[in-house]
Amino acid sequence: MLNFLKIKQKNKQPVKKQDILLIQCPPWDIEMPPLGIAFLSSFLRKHGYQVSLLDLNIGLFNLAKEDSRYLWEQKSYDWWVLDELFKQTWGRIEGLVLKCLKNRSRDLDADFIGISVNFAGIKFANQLIGMIKKLNLTTKLFSIPADDLKRIIF
């Protein structure tokens, strides 16, 4: 079970900030919503947590210039996983990631930030974690393996 479930305050007064921010990392299908964090969000809300979602995948796709949108195509997998290609990918999207995070700076003040990432997004997630740490040193970051998520929700 998630350790932070035990940390939830018993005080039922309105909370001014989010308990948990869940982030979907790219690359992910732009025509399919991130169901994993949607299910987790629903579960957490059912148990009294204030949860925000940040779909960085679709947010970055929408902000990307037309000549960078190929990165979200299935055939562009290597641009996310190979070191040299990812450096170029990061160079194209780094400013957009920072813009997305600053636009949601209030949510970055959550007690916990969970990051949903698939294998292709590991390099991106590492860069994202570095950015979040620079912007906010008090938030705890966590990830949940898919098998644990299934046990918790279903």
Side-chain angles (χ1 to χ4, degrees):
M1 191 64 139
L2 299 173
N3 287 338
F4 64 85
L5 289 176
K6 297 174 185 173
I7 298 174
K8 176 68 177 160
Q9 297 174 354
K10 294 182 181 182
N11 185 350
K12 298 291 182 183
Q13 295 177 356
V15 180
K16 293 181 181 174
K17 69 176 187 171
Q18 297 299 313
D19 295 318
I20 303 164
L21 169 64
L22 300 174
I23 300 174
Q24 175 65 50
C25 290
W28 190 255
D29 189 338
I30 59 167
E31 296 180 14
M32 185 174 149
L35 296 178
I37 63 172
F39 287 137
L40 181 57
S41 171
S42 176
F43 172 85
L44 292 168
R45 287 179 179 144
K46 179 180 170 184
H47 287 83
Y49 291 89
Q50 294 211 357
V51 181
S52 288
L53 300 176
L54 174 54
D55 187 346
L56 264 181
N57 180 64
I58 200 66
L60 293 173
F61 175 80
N62 288 334
L63 289 173
K65 293 180 181 176
E66 196 65 38
D67 67 348
S68 294
R69 290 190 170 183
Y70 71 92
L71 292 168
W72 280 263
E73 296 173 8
Q74 194 71 14
K75 64 184 179 185
S76 297
Y77 175 84
D78 288 348
W79 287 89
W80 296 94
V81 297
L82 300 178
D83 289 337
E84 288 305 313
L85 293 177
F86 180 74
K87 286 178 187 175
Q88 294 176 48
T89 298
W90 186 249
R92 288 175 175 257
I93 64 172
E94 180 179 11
L96 301 176
V97 174
L98 190 56
K99 181 178 181 176
C100 285
L101 292 178
K102 286 185 176 182
N103 284 343
R104 296 289 296 271
S105 62
R106 183 172 179 262
D107 291 332
L108 290 177
D109 193 34
D111 293 330
F112 295 90
I113 297 176
I115 299 175
S116 176
V117 59
N118 59 42
F119 181 79
I122 290 173
K123 291 184 185 317
F124 176 88
N126 285 332
Q127 294 294 327
L128 176 65
I129 289 167
M131 277 187 161
I132 291 171
K133 285 182 176 180
K134 286 180 184 173
L135 293 172
N136 181 350
L137 299 175
T138 62
T139 296
K140 296 168 188 73
L141 296 163
F142 70 92
S143 65
I144 303 170
D147 290 342
D148 288 346
L149 184 58
K150 289 177 192 171
R151 273 198 309 271
I152 293 166
I153 294 177
F154 301 108

